[in-house]
Amino acid sequence: MATTPEPGKVIPWRRWAFASLGSVLSNFGSLWFLLAPLLAAYAPRRLFKTYFDLFLRRYARRLLAVVDPYVTVDVSEPGGAASAHYSRYGRVTEHDSAYEEVKAYLSDTCAGEARELRAEGAPEGDGVVISMRDGQDVADEFGGATVWWTSVVRENSQGQQRPHTRQCQRLTFHQRDRRLVVDEYLPHVRRKGREILFSNRRRRLYTNNKSGESFRYDYKAWSYIDFDHPTTFDTLAMDVAKKREIIDDLNAFRSNREFYRRAGKPWKRGYLLYGPPGTGKSTMIAAMANYLDYDIYDVELTVVKDNNDLRRLLIETTSKSIIVIEDIDCSLDLTGDRATQRRRRHDRDNSNTRDENSRRDGSMVTLSGLLNFIDGLWSACGGERIIVFTTNHVERLDEALIRRGRMDMHIVMSYCGFDAFRTLAKNYLGIDDHALFSAVDEILGRESITPADVAECLMTAKRAGSDEPSRLLEIVVDELKQRVEANAKVKAEAEAKAEAEEEAEAAEMDRDDRRGEQNGRKSPKI
């Protein structure tokens, strides 16, 4: 049976609810008094922005494209410290090089068009990189489209420069050229910029460090010095036709990147230089490096522990380089007679002598490992490499090592001919032609004289102190005749020594045979 409250009495929970409601309304009134102005100022903008993002942005962008059809792309310099990690070869630093490549590309254009410039020292070498000061711009054309580059400084949202300002190269172009700029022009700028940076650097001559020290935390596979060899193909003493053939081959290699890719071949080429000592094999390598503007990696195989370390050396080399193994017939046992090699290794394993050959056996590099180094899968990494072998005795090398496809071009570095002498005479004495050249030609055609010997004869004439060409060449002719006599004497002595050694070896074999016969007669018959 329901009960009804007495008049004048209020149930307790209702009294509590009314009291709480009054307190809430009182507090809300105070809060609304504070928030109302903010909501009045903020809500319309927020609502309009939401409505704009959902419905009007697409149409606004179309309208903006009609009014201002130009697009901008900013290429900023790397901010902060470059990221770094560590490998077994030391600290490896990584950073975006796009900004430096763009600056290098624009350097020539800026120097010719911009009025206010900034000069900075090149990261390597003695060159200067010219760039635009802030606010300057230059125009460039590519594929029928005109683009503009502007130098700007990045600013924060308040319009003030940051404490550490970052330079920026801003590219502006018409939106109809978007695909051309993104797909072709920007890669073209970076590629050309890399070429400019590469040509301005100091070229280096590398040599590999001993593999046994690779456990050290600061170990590096290669150490280097700046390469500043003065030899060029113009000063190289060599037959003119052969020199031109080599230059044409180098040009074809350097400019045929797409051909190698289309043919499915790694972008590399091998050269075998062979001939007597003093015929200019090392000088040829210097001339090739100067002509191509490549670095040189001189590999010393005797300090390479095994095939894995040889592969690591290859990975650490860069593109646009010449990898050289000089006197490869003396570095390791890589001769063609493999059966003889096995016998020699077996004999050395059974002996305790510590001669030079035993010391060389500290390296476990094999012919198979060297072949993979030349044209295996790992040889294709990086691209644009030249591999050069030199030897004084090509007949000692394994045919698999020097076959076409590995050593693509075999270059005979022969004795000095008349063309080579003319080059040397120009280099040393400044004489292009003379009547006494015929006497020199007769001597060189009859005798085998190396370019190194001829150069020494020219140095002797140079030290005489005379400026008269006839007197200088008379000295050269006399020196050549003396050198021919000295070479003949040395050759006769070498032949006599070889003949004596053969006779001694034959006599030793006869003694061994007689000793064997005597032992056979003394042994009892069963």
Side-chain angles (χ1 to χ4, degrees):
M1 184 174 178
T3 60
T4 59
E6 296 181 4
K9 292 184 178 180
V10 180
I11 298 177
W13 67 268
R14 291 183 178 180
R15 185 168 58 246
W16 174 87
F18 285 127
S20 299
L21 179 62
S23 177
V24 169
L25 291 176
S26 176
N27 293 334
F28 180 77
S30 300
L31 183 64
W32 177 257
F33 179 76
L34 296 175
L35 295 179
L38 297 178
L39 293 175
Y42 177 76
R45 287 205 305 268
R46 183 65 180 175
L47 293 175
F48 177 77
K49 185 176 185 304
T50 303
Y51 182 79
F52 180 83
D53 290 340
L54 292 177
F55 303 104
L56 301 180
R57 179 180 294 274
R58 183 185 307 171
Y59 303 103
R61 292 181 63 182
R62 292 179 180 176
L63 179 62
L64 182 62
V66 174
V67 178
D68 183 11
Y70 291 93
V71 181
T72 62
V73 175
D74 288 350
V75 182
S76 302
E77 64 177 347
S83 61
H85 65 275
Y86 290 83
S87 70
R88 64 173 295 182
Y89 302 109
R91 188 173 188 269
V92 180
T93 303
E94 297 177 350
H95 63 85
D96 184 11
S97 60
Y99 180 76
E100 296 299 330
E101 292 164 357
V102 169
K103 282 182 61 177
Y105 174 81
L106 295 175
S107 181
D108 292 339
T109 305
C110 293
E113 294 186 15
R115 301 294 299 274
E116 299 180 7
L117 305 175
R118 178 189 294 114
E120 300 172 304
E124 292 191 23
D126 301 324
V128 175
V129 177
I130 302 297
S131 59
M132 297 177 289
R133 292 180 59 184
D134 301 339
Q136 295 291 298
D137 57 8
V138 294
D140 192 19
E141 292 187 3
F142 180 82
T146 301
V147 299
W148 296 267
W149 288 96
T150 308
S151 178
V152 298
V153 177
R154 279 293 184 91
E155 299 177 351
N156 59 14
S157 57
Q158 282 74 29
Q160 299 176 354
Q161 292 185 357
R162 299 175 181 177
H164 300 285
T165 60
R166 294 175 61 185
Q167 300 293 326
C168 173
Q169 301 296 331
R170 177 167 295 169
L171 174 63
T172 304
F173 55 91
H174 199 283
Q175 63 177 356
R176 66 170 176 266
D177 302 320
R178 182 190 294 266
R179 293 265 58 89
L180 175 67
V181 171
V182 174
D183 296 341
E184 299 182 32
Y185 178 67
L186 286 177
H188 164 77
V189 169
R190 296 199 62 183
R191 185 166 55 251
K192 292 298 183 181
R194 281 194 297 268
E195 293 177 1
I196 294 172
L197 291 174
F198 185 83
S199 62
N200 290 338
R201 86 204 189 291
R202 290 189 180 97
R203 285 181 295 113
R204 294 169 175 174
L205 172 61
Y206 292 84
T207 184
N208 56 303
N209 297 317
K210 190 174 182 179
S211 299
E213 300 177 354
S214 58
F215 63 91
R216 296 175 51 180
Y217 75 95
D218 58 347
Y219 172 77
K220 293 184 178 180
W222 298 95
S223 57
Y224 67 86
I225 61 173
D226 291 340
F227 180 72
D228 190 23
H229 201 289
T231 297
T232 64
F233 277 109
D234 292 333
T235 62
L236 182 64
M238 194 177 189
D239 179 73
V240 175
K242 186 182 297 184
K243 191 188 304 185
R244 173 48 54 187
E245 180 183 0
I246 296 171
I247 293 175
D248 292 342
D249 191 79
L250 293 174
N251 289 334
F253 166 78
R254 180 169 54 179
S255 59
N256 277 339
R257 178 177 183 272
E258 294 303 325
F259 164 77
Y260 280 89
R261 182 171 294 275
R262 185 172 63 252
K265 291 171 60 66
W267 193 12
K268 63 182 182 61
R269 192 155 179 82
Y271 292 85
L272 174 66
L273 310 181
Y274 65 95
T279 52
K281 295 182 286 294
S282 299
T283 308
M284 167 65 76
I285 296 172
M288 294 169 66
N290 286 329
Y291 183 76
L292 295 172
D293 200 22
Y294 283 7
D295 293 328
I296 296 179
Y297 288 84
D298 186 12
V299 182
E300 177 55 56
L301 289 178
T302 57
V303 299
V304 181
K305 184 179 179 181
D306 51 30
N307 293 336
N308 288 332
D309 283 330
L310 184 63
R311 190 181 302 115
R312 292 191 186 99
L313 287 177
L314 177 64
I315 296 173
E316 291 291 315
T317 62
T318 61
S319 61
K320 296 182 181 294
S321 60
I322 300 177
I323 302 174
V324 179
I325 302 180
E326 292 196 273
D327 297 323
I328 190 171
D329 56 307
C330 301
S331 297
L332 295 172
D333 286 335
L334 300 172
T335 60
D337 190 354
R338 304 187 190 186
T340 302
Q341 291 181 52
R342 288 193 293 270
R343 289 196 301 270
R344 290 176 179 175
R345 284 195 293 268
H346 178 72
D347 294 340
R348 285 196 296 267
D349 290 340
N350 294 333
S351 65
N352 294 323
T353 59
R354 298 293 182 182
D355 58 3
E356 182 180 358
N357 291 332
S358 297
R359 288 193 297 270
R360 285 205 304 260
D361 282 347
S363 174
M364 299 298 293
V365 176
T366 64
L367 178 62
S368 174
L370 187 59
L371 296 180
N372 289 329
F373 177 82
I374 299 171
D375 63 355
L377 293 175
W378 290 95
S379 67
C381 64
E384 197 169 358
R385 288 188 179 94
I386 288 178
I387 300 175
V388 179
F389 289 168
T390 71
T391 180
N392 297 332
H393 305 283
V394 66
E395 69 279 357
R396 297 181 182 177
L397 298 180
D398 195 294
E399 293 182 357
L401 186 65
I402 61 175
R403 68 164 175 82
R404 305 289 179 173
R406 290 193 173 110
M407 293 294 104
D408 303 282
M409 190 172 186
H410 295 189
I411 303 173
V412 182
M413 305 299 293
S414 187
Y415 293 102
C416 186
F418 185 63
D419 286 341
F421 172 77
R422 290 176 64 95
T423 302
L424 291 173
K426 174 64 176 178
N427 296 341
Y428 284 79
L429 304 179
I431 302 175
D432 293 320
D433 196 8
H434 196 275
L436 289 176
F437 275 18
S438 59
V440 175
D441 187 16
E442 181 181 354
I443 295 174
L444 297 178
R446 186 177 65 250
E447 305 292 342
S448 297
I449 306 177
T450 63
D453 286 336
V454 175
E456 186 58 32
C457 295
L458 293 168
M459 283 295 297
T460 302
K462 183 69 175 178
R463 288 193 296 266
S466 175
D467 294 333
E468 179 61 33
S470 298
R471 175 57 184 162
L472 292 174
L473 290 176
E474 288 175 358
I475 297 175
V476 171
V477 172
D478 293 339
E479 288 293 325
L480 287 175
K481 292 179 179 178
Q482 295 178 16
R483 193 58 56 96
V484 168
E485 295 176 358
N487 290 345
K489 183 178 179 180
V490 171
K491 183 178 179 180
E493 292 176 353
E495 291 176 352
K497 182 179 180 181
E499 185 177 354
E501 290 177 352
E502 291 179 359
E503 292 178 355
E505 184 178 356
E508 182 66 24
M509 294 178 62
D510 291 340
R511 284 194 296 271
D512 291 341
D513 292 341
R514 288 197 298 270
R515 192 178 299 113
E517 292 176 358
Q518 292 175 1
N519 292 336
R521 288 195 298 268
K522 290 180 181 179
S523 59
K525 296 181 179 180
I526 300 177

